[in-house]
Amino acid sequence: MANSAAAAAKRCLEELRRKASSATAADAAEVPLKVAKTLGSAVKGTHGFVQRKLFEGEAPTLYRLKGNKYAHCYGAPKRDEKNLQYLAPYLTGAVLTGMAIFFIVIPISFNSNYEASKKKYEAFARENPHLLENQYDRGQFSREGRR
């Protein structure tokens, strides 16, 4: 798989070099578009190759499941058809929905009252500047250090 992917990458680069060297001044504006199109088709072809190799082809014999080959042995896992695989799409949907809520909805809801919070803070800062300055009363941020 690695050799054929490397060969496909070499072919793609050679094709890009050939197209770039054969370009004239009139084609200079079209060269980036052609390069992008060629690169896109190479990426799509590589992805298709990997997809077929990993998921559509038959698995190597070492990776194949043995089924109930050792079911007669003591301690063998009991393989019945009453599993919960039919719930996998629902569980995946629940996880993705939870992530969407956590990363999209919650930040938007916390940010919805930003202007009001900002006005409250600015009013507090105008009324109590001494409280805010006390947190920087030492070091390079102190008022005494800046004078």
Side-chain angles (χ1 to χ4, degrees), residues 12 16 19 30-43:
C12 176
L16 288 174
K19 285 185 177 184
E30 295 178 6
V31 168
L33 296 174
K34 289 181 180 179
V35 168
K37 188 182 287 187
T38 304
L39 191 60
S41 65
V43 167

Side-chain angles (χ1 to χ4, degrees), residues 122-135:
E122 288 172 347
F124 176 81
R126 279 192 301 274
E127 294 170 7
N128 304 301
H130 61 284
L131 293 176
L132 296 176
E133 288 174 4
N134 286 342
Q135 61 183 328

Side-chain angles (χ1 to χ4, degrees), residues 41-61:
S41 65
V43 167
K44 193 182 287 186
T46 304
H47 171 70
F49 170 76
V50 171
Q51 182 78 12
R52 284 188 302 275
K53 191 74 171 171
L54 290 180
F55 300 111
E56 294 174 9
E58 188 174 293
T61 56

Side-chain angles (χ1 to χ4, degrees), residues 66-135:
K66 303 292 189 232
N68 288 333
K69 181 177 180 182
Y70 300 105
H72 64 279
C73 296
Y74 177 76
K78 304 295 183 242
R79 299 176 194 263
D80 55 352
E81 297 301 321
K82 296 179 182 178
N83 51 18
L84 300 177
Q85 282 185 336
Y86 68 94
L87 291 178
Y90 303 112
L91 293 174
T92 304
V95 168
L96 291 176
T97 303
M99 289 176 65
I101 288 172
F102 183 75
F103 288 112
I104 297 171
V105 175
I106 290 177
I108 289 173
S109 66
F110 277 119
N111 201 23
S112 64
N113 61 352
Y114 173 75
E115 292 298 324
S117 297
K118 184 178 176 182
K119 287 179 184 176
K120 279 187 199 176
Y121 175 76
E122 288 172 347
F124 176 81
R126 279 192 301 274
E127 294 170 7
N128 304 301
H130 61 284
L131 293 176
L132 296 176
E133 288 174 4
N134 286 342
Q135 61 183 328

Side-chain angles (χ1 to χ4, degrees), residues 12-25 27-28 30-32 34-36 38:
C12 176
L13 287 174
E14 288 300 322
E15 188 176 344
L16 288 174
R17 284 189 191 128
R18 185 173 28 84
K19 285 185 177 184
S21 65
S22 66
T24 62
D27 295 333
E30 295 178 6
V31 168
K34 289 181 180 179
V35 168
T38 304

